[in-house]
Amino acid sequence: DVSRRNPLPVQLFFDLLSAFRQDVTRKRYRDFEDLLDYCRRSANPVGRLLLHLHGSASAENLALSDRICTSLQLINFYQDLAQDFDENGRIYIPVDEMEALGVSEVHFERRQSDPAMRRLFSAQVARARAMMLEGAPLGARLRGRFGLEIRMIVEGGLVVLERLAAAEDVFARPRLRRR
């Protein structure tokens, strides 16, 4: 019914399926571009589909949405470092950036939040924050409740990023209060 009433790009569904398949088999990402490709298929289609459903899928809105959705995906990775590693052996931080700062899988195994790991984590969080801020104008471009929801999502993401940036233990999941 939704497909009949709303012309949705079918490729976005194939992108999601591709990312789901990859998540089962892939455990590491060689560089940030490699990780961005995963986000392009795992997170960005969700925002794009919502924009299409809302009738707001202009090129600029899609680009802003991609920044927000990628940032949200990265935030999810960063708040779940320990869980992703323990349960699935996954590390969603680029290998080349880990190597450049002397961080290895041992940091994840031992939950080591030493200076090298904190520098690496800080750089990841800063990049996700910059992306979120780049996408933030989308909330003001969209009317009504949809725009309000986007603004709230952006603010929520920024609060989680603040908590992540302030944490001494990069493996501790930040907790937000209901308020």
Side-chain angles (χ1 to χ4, degrees), residues 96-122:
D96 66 341
E97 295 178 24
M98 289 172 54
E99 290 173 350
L101 290 173
V103 172
S104 71
E105 290 186 19
V106 172
H107 284 82
F108 290 81
E109 290 168 7
R110 297 181 183 164
R111 301 247 194 324
Q112 242 175 285
S113 286
D114 63 9
M117 185 65 186
R118 282 196 298 279
R119 276 193 304 279
L120 174 67
F121 192 69
S122 177

Side-chain angles (χ1 to χ4, degrees), residues 113-142:
S113 286
D114 63 9
M117 185 65 186
R118 282 196 298 279
R119 276 193 304 279
L120 174 67
F121 192 69
S122 177
Q124 306 307 305
V125 169
R127 181 165 46 205
R129 184 177 190 282
M131 281 185 183
M132 185 65 78
L133 292 173
E134 289 169 6
L138 179 63
R141 293 174 56 88
L142 301 173

Side-chain angles (χ1 to χ4, degrees), residues 1-44:
D1 181 52
V2 172
S3 294
R4 273 181 278 151
R5 289 185 291 127
N6 301 282
L8 300 173
V10 175
Q11 183 59 48
L12 295 174
F13 295 101
F14 287 116
D15 289 345
L16 285 167
L17 290 172
S18 166
F20 294 156
R21 243 183 261 113
Q22 179 176 318
D23 220 19
V24 172
T25 60
R26 187 109 182 247
K27 310 255 187 232
R28 304 290 180 275
Y29 294 84
R30 71 180 173 281
D31 56 31
F32 191 63
E33 288 303 314
D34 198 20
L35 188 58
L36 279 180
D37 176 64
Y38 173 73
C39 294
R40 180 190 60 76
R41 292 176 290 114
S42 67
N44 297 1

